[in-house]
Amino acid sequence: MRVALCQLDIAWEDKKVNLEQAKVYIEEAKEEGAEIIFFPEMSFTGFSMNVNLIKEEHGETLKEVREMVAANQIAVGIGWVKAEETGGKESIKNFYTVIGSQGEILSNYVKIHPFHYAKEDQYFTAGNRIALFEYRERMFSTFLCYDLRFPEVFEIASRKAEIIAVPANWPQARKEHWLTLLRARAIENQVYMLGINCVGEKEGQYFSGDSCVIDPNGNIMESLSDQEGLIVLDIPNNTAQIREGFPVKQDRQPELYQKLSEEINGNFE
């Protein structure tokens, strides 16, 4: 499986400019033989809380990207903001959608953990489902940025997924957290981790990117820092063999962990 990670210098809240740049990178990824390309979280707006400006009700961005997919026959993962009506009330969600090479929707993920520190939880409704999709006989999952700090959901996803993508808007100030957590999630779950970040100055914060591909042993296969561009890399089909050779997962005791969790919660009520 040949994948592409697009480390985009996102023009703040400017979908038109960012979509034009995305078209260039989709074409480049296709030329380099990639079968799927992933863009960062909130790919074409940046990590904005200006929901009235960036929200979409009818998936306008998806329509534009689908045209790029049709022209290039490559799967594309993008982050965008969707407004939905729930019980007569508007709900804003941080979406990540993967569109297959024939224009079909392979996956829709809503960020499970809004970033409280940046007040994301005040504007966005949290998701409650893990996304899994199969593409060209490989099983993928996607999470978003802050989700990376919560290992439980990665363990659950890795029961099926062999490749997990984490699109993000992760600032340089916490770069070492980003790299360490990506490596940890790869090692503990024996999966390939794809970290897809933005780069450049955004609203007073600098993003160094550090997009990377990490193998199930925690080795960084390739990375990109401090510049816009693509990582294009082949992901070996060897996750099953790695897990068989070092069978960590078979020693997990989920029922015991649940019992211990209930006990410790009860002790502090």
Side-chain angles (χ1 to χ4, degrees):
M1 169 67 68
R2 194 162 177 80
V3 304
L5 282 54
C6 183
Q7 184 160 286
L8 194 63
D9 187 352
I10 302 171
W12 188 252
E13 296 179 349
D14 195 331
K15 292 179 189 177
K16 183 176 185 296
V17 167
N18 292 315
L19 282 163
E20 288 172 356
Q21 193 65 0
K23 183 174 183 291
V24 172
Y25 281 118
I26 289 171
E27 291 171 353
E28 182 179 336
K30 179 64 177 181
E31 287 173 5
E32 294 193 33
E35 299 164 80
I36 187 168
I37 179 172
F38 294 94
F39 286 88
E41 178 185 28
M42 291 191 187
S43 309
F44 310 125
T45 62
F47 189 63
S48 170
M49 300 301 106
N50 188 1
V51 293
N52 288 327
L53 175 66
I54 66 175
K55 69 182 181 181
E56 299 181 14
E57 295 179 4
H58 305 294
E60 297 85 357
T61 294
L62 292 184
K63 293 173 186 174
E64 292 201 42
V65 174
R66 270 183 159 144
E67 292 178 7
M68 301 176 199
V69 166
N72 294 279
Q73 299 295 291
I74 182 174
V76 179
I78 60 163
W80 59 295
V81 172
K82 185 177 184 182
E84 297 180 336
E85 286 289 330
T86 305
K89 183 179 179 182
E90 186 178 63
S91 177
I92 309 295
K93 297 179 180 179
N94 185 349
F95 258 79
Y96 199 83
T97 298
V98 181
I99 303 167
S101 58
Q102 303 304 308
E104 73 278 23
I105 299 297
L106 294 176
S107 173
N108 269 323
Y109 172 70
V110 178
K111 192 175 187 178
I112 290 175
H113 302 96
F115 188 28
H116 176 83
Y117 184 76
K119 299 185 167 108
E120 184 182 5
D121 60 313
Q122 295 183 18
Y123 299 93
F124 292 87
T125 301
N128 57 11
R129 296 179 65 87
I130 286 174
L132 290 164
F133 67 95
E134 186 174 0
Y135 182 63
R136 300 194 175 173
E137 300 183 348
R138 305 296 294 276
M139 188 65 74
F140 289 79
S141 184
T142 60
F143 291 100
L144 283 169
C145 201
Y146 190 51
D147 288 328
L148 188 57
R149 294 184 180 273
F150 303 91
E152 296 88 347
V153 290
F154 285 82
E155 192 282 318
I156 295 167
S158 70
R159 296 173 195 175
K160 297 286 187 182
E162 55 187 305
I163 303 170
I164 300 180
V166 185
N169 276 217
W170 196 291
Q172 184 193 41
R174 293 183 289 279
K175 167 182 176 175
E176 293 306 319
H177 294 196
W178 166 250
L179 294 172
T180 301
L181 291 168
L182 284 169
R183 294 187 68 207
R185 298 296 87 86
I187 293 166
E188 65 199 8
N189 296 301
Q190 296 178 303
V191 294
Y192 285 91
M193 292 292 296
L194 313 180
I196 310 99
N197 200 13
C198 65
V199 69
E201 190 83 21
K202 319 288 174 204
E203 295 292 282
Q205 285 202 89
Y206 181 69
F207 296 79
S208 54
D210 305 295
S211 297
C212 55
V213 178
I214 300 176
D215 74 15
N217 290 312
N219 301 305
I220 297 178
M221 299 173 67
E222 191 167 337
S223 63
L224 181 66
S225 300
D226 296 306
Q227 60 180 303
E228 186 175 271
L230 286 180
I231 293 174
V232 182
L233 196 67
D234 291 310
I235 306 295
N237 190 7
N238 62 353
T239 309
Q241 292 92 323
I242 289 171
R243 292 177 176 180
E244 289 169 7
F246 190 53
V248 175
K249 280 184 168 289
Q250 73 178 24
D251 294 328
R252 289 187 57 80
Q253 301 185 50
E255 293 82 7
L256 174 61
Y257 306 152
Q258 179 62 34
K259 178 176 177 290
L260 293 174
S261 176
E262 292 169 358
E263 286 179 357
I264 199 167
N265 287 338
N267 287 338
F268 288 92
E269 285 179 355

